[in-house]
Amino acid sequence: MDWLVQWWDGVELWVVQLPVAVQFPVVMVVVLPLCLGVARLIDRVVDWGAKNPASGAEVAPEPEPEKVPA
């Protein structure tokens, strides 16, 4: 895991040393699509988890109350 931290520190140092006019396009081209992809992945996982709950017990729906004629 140490190699990942060192790699990230190198990338971070490289981006920080770039001029702001270059930092902005780099961030928009790399970070924006990456964040969008992670957000979509999280959304799909949460949707899947909501549709397929881990608890095996099924809850019976409550019966509707009887309607009284007016």
Side-chain angles (χ1 to χ4, degrees), residues 37-53:
V38 170
R40 285 186 176 174
L41 178 67
I42 291 170
D43 185 49
R44 288 184 180 170
V45 169
V46 169
D47 282 345
W48 178 82
K51 290 178 184 175
N52 303 317

Side-chain angles (χ1 to χ4, degrees), residues 9-69:
D9 284 343
V11 170
E12 188 177 27
L13 183 62
W14 174 74
V15 170
V16 169
Q17 291 177 347
L18 292 174
V20 174
V22 178
Q23 282 181 6
F24 181 75
V26 167
V27 168
M28 295 305 281
V29 168
V30 175
V31 175
L32 190 64
L34 182 65
C35 289
L36 181 61
V38 170
R40 285 186 176 174
L41 178 67
I42 291 170
D43 185 49
R44 288 184 180 170
V45 169
V46 169
D47 282 345
W48 178 82
K51 290 178 184 175
N52 303 317
S55 63
E58 292 186 25
V59 178
E62 294 183 21
E64 292 186 25
E66 293 183 27
K67 296 182 180 178
V68 179

